[in-house]
Amino acid sequence: MRSIHSMPFGAELGAEGVRFALWAPSARRVALLLDGRELAMPEAGSGWRRLVVPEARAGAVYSYRIDGELTV
């Protein structure tokens, strides 16, 4: 039996595209690296950064850049 539930972090496929979420309360700048692009992730309150990318697809490789440092 498989169950599906929403996670508050990571990548989640939805009707509007893929929602990326990261908790980085002390970060000054956070960017999503996706398909050769760097997209700024706006603050969403309480240390969270969230961004919906309509053209992103399941299986896309992504990473984050936090205060200039690449994360893997």
Side-chain angles (χ1 to χ4, degrees):
M1 175 175 145
R2 296 177 78 173
S3 65
I4 297 173
H5 60 279
S6 180
M7 297 296 289
F9 56 87
E12 184 174 45
L13 186 59
E16 298 87 31
V18 179
R19 189 240 27 214
F20 295 89
L22 176 73
W23 188 66
S26 62
R28 293 180 313 277
R29 293 173 307 158
V30 176
L32 170 71
L33 304 177
L34 176 71
D35 296 332
R37 297 183 301 157
E38 186 167 319
L39 306 165
M41 293 187 72
E43 293 184 43
S46 300
W48 286 97
R49 305 289 182 125
R50 291 191 183 93
L51 179 66
V52 175
V53 182
E55 65 275 13
R57 298 291 173 246
V61 177
Y62 69 95
S63 60
Y64 299 105
R65 187 179 309 276
I66 301 172
D67 293 335
E69 297 292 323
L70 184 63
T71 64
V72 285

